[in-house]
Amino acid sequence: MALGFSSGDAPGFKLLLILVATYGLMAALVHSVLYMRFIKPLDIDAPLDRFSEARAVEHVRVLAHEIDGRQEGRPGLTEAARYITGQLEMIKERAGSNVRIEIEESVVNGTFNMMFLGHGISLGYRNHTNIVMRISSIHSQDNEPSVLLNGHFDSPLASPGAADCGSCVASMLEIARLMVDSGWVPPRPVIFLFNGAEELFLLGSHGFMKTHQWRETIGAFINVEASGTRGPDLVCQSGPGSWPSQVYVQSAVYPMAHSAAQDVFPVIPGDTDFRIFSQDYGNIPGLDIIFLLGGYFYHTSYDTMERLLPGSMQARGENLVSVIKAFTNSSKLQVKHERESNAYHYDGEHAVFFDYLSLFMIYYTRKVARLLHSIPIAIFLAMPFFSHKQNRGLVSWFSTFCDFTKGMIFHATGIFLAIVFPIIFAILRLLFTSCAMNWFAHPYLAYLMFVPCSLVGMLIPRIIWSSFPLSQDASALKSLKEALSDEARFWGAFGLYAISTLAYLLAGLSGGFLTFSISTSMLPGWISYCLSVKLFGHQSLRSTLFYVLPVLPCLAYSVYFGGFLVQFVVEKLGMMGALPPPYGYFVPDVVMATTVGAVTGLCVGPLIPICGRWLARSSILQVLLHISVLGLALSSQFFPYSVDAPKRILFQHTFLTAGIQASKMIKYNSKMLSF
């Protein structure tokens, strides 16, 4: 395919290069945030009133490397319990006279039913060890409301469990030490639960909630978990009610949370102790905080101390210390019977919240969301009236609204094609090669393969637009017609995001903040664009940049959100295992193509209504297609697995017992994501 360039293509290529450089800088910033480059871990000699990652890592080293296996039935689990108890006893010895510290090692037994992956399970258990420590003021009462910090010290079969969940236990031990050595006396008791049977369907937390004497005093809890070894310690679940997330927003030092995770987590085949405390047996308000990146090593023998990312535990520890202090000082902290009384009730709804590049949090209640998230659709419906006045009778309100609707349809078509094109390219590549999932060990290949063709799909409706004239008088001047086209395209795209925001709201989900932020950021961009056109007297590349600049903060967040999502999906797809032929071979690549296409639409879509006039040229589309084909060809030369991205294999070993004809199967099954 020959490339033909004209003089009119120069501004388009110039804008394309500017956008590539801009998105490259944003991607570098996001990479630094996700990989904790801005957080300096404190060394082992750090002040005693500070959380030190180096001191916590020493606990991980003992639990994951010096102790051989922390699975139920193995001596390592008992040895780990002794180590934890010994560390707590040393902390107790250093406590001041104004602090009371109580340490208990309890053995729990019980039975219960639970639903997991749509199946009912009946469980019976006995002789599981929990270690509990309670830190309180010497003047506190036994029935005072308390805050629970929970983490499990058992690990999955054949895994050292450095991250899952040695890092959790280590963080808790360092926090307990900090509380004592800093001289801080908690205004309400703080309970540390080191439970020894989370990997076996949450048995340890169930035993605590059914048998322990302090269970009814818990007014709030924080569950720390890990399905990876690094990255943002994301708040994946909160509730019941919005109070726990509000406390986190107000107190987290390095906020890493967005309410959209609560929409997605119930769909993921996994579970945590959060369910026991908050839903099934306690109805206690709390937070579920999880390491999500680094899932390559989750539940494998590679989950070692060396895989922990510097800065991740430092951020977790400082966040937990601050959130614990906020919970203990809150007037809403109440014991079980107070929560159940008429004097206290939950609002029953999750709030909307999200962090911006881990710098700060934006939070508002569901009631406020109903108002805010309805504003974009109201603006969209009202704009034809203002447009009608500005065009001085050239168009009626109805014809203008039809033009806006047409713009919405074309923008929605572009987003749809941005997803379809990568899927087609992924399928075509697999038809001619025998190497699937090459992006698993090299995630950048997913962007190289699918982003250019996704942009092609997004720009195609812009080219087709000229074949579908607007409702305005065809005899209008060309410049006026172009202005009306830009207006219809912009407000059509704005309307699509406004409707998406409203749909999220009506569905009762909490992720509408994303499309809401896009639509609201487009407004100052449009005003800036219109003023620049009026100032310069014509539409130019410079006026287009005036549109881009006000939208950049929102685009940076979209890249942050999208980059996290793509990396998360890459790692989780490697845990799926083999799917049935003949179509199972295509599923991971199709899912990856769909994800990258959707993220591209999210990150670039707001620019297309204005930037599309320069980018929607056949020469640019040809270049993008060439890059896509080159990316597909190059990607086939890469092996999908590496030491840092190991392949997961299902082993099945059967023992036959003579006379009973019974079999016992031990599985390392990557299909089950049990946190």
Side-chain angles (χ1 to χ4, degrees):
M1 182 168 55
L3 294 177
F5 300 102
S6 65
S7 58
D9 294 334
F13 279 103
K14 186 182 295 185
L15 177 61
L16 181 62
L17 291 175
I18 292 173
L19 292 179
V20 168
T22 301
Y23 279 97
L25 292 174
M26 288 190 291
L29 173 63
V30 166
H31 185 273
S32 298
V33 173
L34 293 181
Y35 285 81
M36 322 304 284
R37 300 291 170 79
F38 297 122
I39 299 175
K40 181 181 179 181
L42 298 185
D43 59 28
I44 202 165
D45 297 322
L48 296 180
D49 61 347
R50 295 290 305 278
F51 183 96
S52 165
E53 179 176 298
R55 286 191 286 255
V57 167
E58 283 301 303
H59 296 306
V60 178
R61 182 181 57 79
V62 174
L63 292 169
H65 294 277
E66 294 187 7
I67 294 176
D68 183 24
R70 307 191 312 277
Q71 296 84 38
E72 184 60 45
R74 297 191 64 183
L77 193 64
T78 303
E79 189 177 346
R82 284 199 298 266
Y83 175 78
I84 294 170
T85 303
Q87 292 297 311
L88 298 180
E89 291 290 350
M90 287 191 291
I91 292 172
K92 181 178 180 179
E93 290 176 2
R94 297 199 303 273
S97 59
N98 57 344
V99 176
R100 177 191 298 131
I101 294 183
E102 303 161 85
I103 301 173
E104 293 185 7
E105 183 173 322
S106 59
V107 177
V108 295
N109 311 287
T111 60
F112 68 106
N113 299 321
M114 69 182 298
M115 294 294 296
F116 184 75
L117 301 180
H119 301 283
I121 301 176
S122 296
L123 298 166
Y125 63 93
R126 63 179 181 177
N127 298 333
H128 291 290
T129 300
N130 286 336
I131 302 166
V132 186
M133 180 174 74
R134 186 174 186 258
I135 302 179
S136 60
S137 166
I138 194 69
H139 303 295
S140 67
Q141 303 297 317
D142 288 340
N143 59 353
E144 279 189 33
S146 57
V147 176
L148 173 71
L149 181 61
N150 173 73
H152 66 91
F153 64 90
D154 63 323
S155 64
L157 198 63
S159 173
D164 183 24
C165 207
S167 65
C168 311
V169 173
S171 299
M172 293 168 63
L173 289 173
E174 173 64 5
I175 291 170
R177 181 214 57 78
L178 182 153
M179 290 175 61
V180 169
D181 289 346
S182 66
W184 178 63
V185 180
R188 307 286 180 82
V190 178
I191 299 173
F192 293 80
L193 170 59
F194 302 85
N195 84 71
E198 188 272 348
E199 299 292 354
L200 299 176
F201 292 97
L202 321 179
L203 304 184
S205 55
H206 176 268
F208 175 85
M209 289 305 299
K210 296 299 291 184
T211 64
H212 204 277
Q213 58 178 332
W214 294 331
R215 66 187 186 276
E216 294 189 355
T217 68
I218 299 172
F221 76 94
I222 305 170
N223 180 58
V224 287
E225 258 290 3
S227 68
T229 60
R230 63 173 183 252
D233 205 24
L234 194 72
V235 175
C236 291
Q237 300 182 93
S238 67
S242 59
W243 172 56
S245 56
Q246 185 179 17
V247 170
Y248 181 88
V249 169
Q250 294 171 347
S251 58
V253 180
Y254 303 104
M256 306 172 209
H258 52 74
S259 52
Q262 298 181 128
D263 302 334
V264 178
F265 193 88
V267 182
I268 299 175
D271 215 346
T272 72
D273 286 320
F274 178 88
R275 183 245 281 268
I276 298 295
F277 298 123
S278 181
Q279 299 169 13
D280 291 356
Y281 294 96
N283 199 33
I284 304 170
L287 299 168
D288 199 17
I289 304 179
I290 307 175
F291 279 157
L292 287 180
L293 297 185
Y296 293 115
F297 318 114
Y298 172 67
H299 279 199
T300 73
S301 59
Y302 291 89
D303 185 7
T304 60
M305 187 177 69
E306 293 75 22
R307 303 293 180 180
L308 296 174
L309 183 71
S312 295
M313 289 182 66
Q314 185 68 41
R316 162 183 277 181
E318 294 191 33
N319 280 345
L320 289 176
V321 170
S322 183
V323 174
I324 288 171
K325 289 183 177 180
F327 270 132
T328 57
N329 282 289
S330 175
S331 60
K332 294 185 178 180
L333 190 70
Q334 297 182 334
V335 297
K336 180 179 179 180
H337 71 85
E338 291 175 328
R339 293 197 306 272
E340 293 175 348
S341 68
N342 295 329
Y344 183 85
H345 66 278
Y346 299 117
D347 53 28
E349 296 180 328
H350 292 296
V352 177
F353 54 89
F354 59 96
D355 72 283
Y356 187 84
L357 301 178
S358 196
L359 296 175
F360 58 87
M361 292 281 293
I362 296 177
Y363 171 95
Y364 46 94
T365 64
R366 177 72 63 172
K367 183 177 181 180
V368 173
R370 293 191 186 98
L371 174 62
L372 288 180
H373 291 191
S374 301
I375 292 176
I377 194 67
I379 294 175
F380 174 70
L381 295 175
M383 279 312 299
F385 290 105
F386 297 98
S387 177
H388 176 75
K389 293 179 181 179
Q390 291 173 353
N391 287 283
R392 299 178 182 178
L394 291 176
V395 292
S396 65
W397 178 91
F398 182 75
S399 63
T400 304
F401 183 76
C402 288
D403 291 337
F404 289 2
T405 304
K406 190 183 299 182
M408 184 193 306
I409 293 172
F410 272 82
H411 192 75
T413 303
I415 299 296
F416 176 73
L417 293 178
I419 298 173
V420 170
F421 270 48
I423 294 175
I424 294 174
F425 273 66
I427 293 174
L428 289 176
R429 189 186 73 84
L430 293 179
L431 290 175
F432 293 99
T433 66
S434 59
C435 189
M437 292 180 62
N438 45 34
W439 36 261
F440 182 61
H442 314 281
Y444 60 87
L445 290 177
Y447 297 101
L448 180 62
M449 289 189 294
F450 301 133
V451 170
C453 59
S454 180
L455 292 175
V456 171
M458 206 178 308
L459 291 170
I460 283 179
R462 179 76 188 220
I463 297 176
I464 301 175
W465 178 276
S466 58
S467 302
F468 294 83
L470 294 170
S471 304
Q472 285 85 8
D473 188 355
S475 63
L477 296 175
K478 181 180 179 180
S479 60
L480 178 60
K481 192 172 181 180
E482 288 179 350
L484 293 172
S485 298
D486 282 341
E487 185 180 36
R489 278 188 288 263
F490 172 82
W491 288 110
F494 179 89
L496 179 65
Y497 296 121
I499 290 176
S500 300
T501 302
L502 185 62
Y504 265 104
L505 183 65
L506 295 178
L509 301 175
S510 304
F513 64 85
L514 197 55
T515 51
F516 173 74
S517 61
I518 290 175
S519 59
T520 52
S521 69
M522 290 174 68
L523 290 175
W526 175 249
I527 295 172
S528 175
Y529 173 75
C530 292
L531 291 176
S532 66
V533 170
K534 185 176 181 180
L535 177 64
F536 301 127
H538 64 284
Q539 297 166 334
S540 64
L541 188 59
R542 183 162 44 177
S543 61
T544 301
L545 295 178
F546 271 86
Y547 172 79
V548 174
L549 288 175
V551 188
L552 279 179
C554 178
L555 296 181
Y557 181 79
S558 297
V559 173
Y560 173 62
F561 185 93
F564 180 90
L565 178 62
V566 170
Q567 185 62 39
F568 178 77
V569 172
V570 166
E571 295 174 1
K572 294 310 176 190
L573 285 174
M575 302 169 69
M576 289 175 56
L579 296 172
Y583 305 112
Y585 175 69
F586 295 89
V587 170
D589 280 78
V590 168
V591 172
M592 195 70 252
T594 302
T595 304
V596 174
V599 168
T600 303
L602 179 73
C603 296
V604 184
L607 300 182
I608 294 301
I610 305 302
C611 297
R613 75 170 9 251
W614 307 101
L615 300 177
R617 292 181 168 272
S618 59
S619 56
I620 292 179
L621 265 61
Q622 290 177 46
V623 168
L624 292 174
L625 287 173
H626 275 83
I627 295 174
S628 297
V629 173
L630 179 63
L632 294 173
L634 288 176
S635 66
S636 300
Q637 308 305 313
F638 288 82
F639 192 68
Y641 307 106
S642 69
V643 173
D644 292 328
K647 182 177 182 178
R648 292 173 179 262
I649 301 174
L650 173 67
F651 290 101
Q652 180 172 299
H653 193 181
T654 303
F655 297 91
L656 295 179
T657 304
I660 301 178
Q661 297 299 317
S663 65
K664 178 181 180 182
M665 293 185 297
I666 302 175
K667 298 182 179 180
Y668 300 80
N669 192 346
S670 61
K671 293 181 181 179
M672 181 178 296
L673 311 184
S674 56
F675 298 120

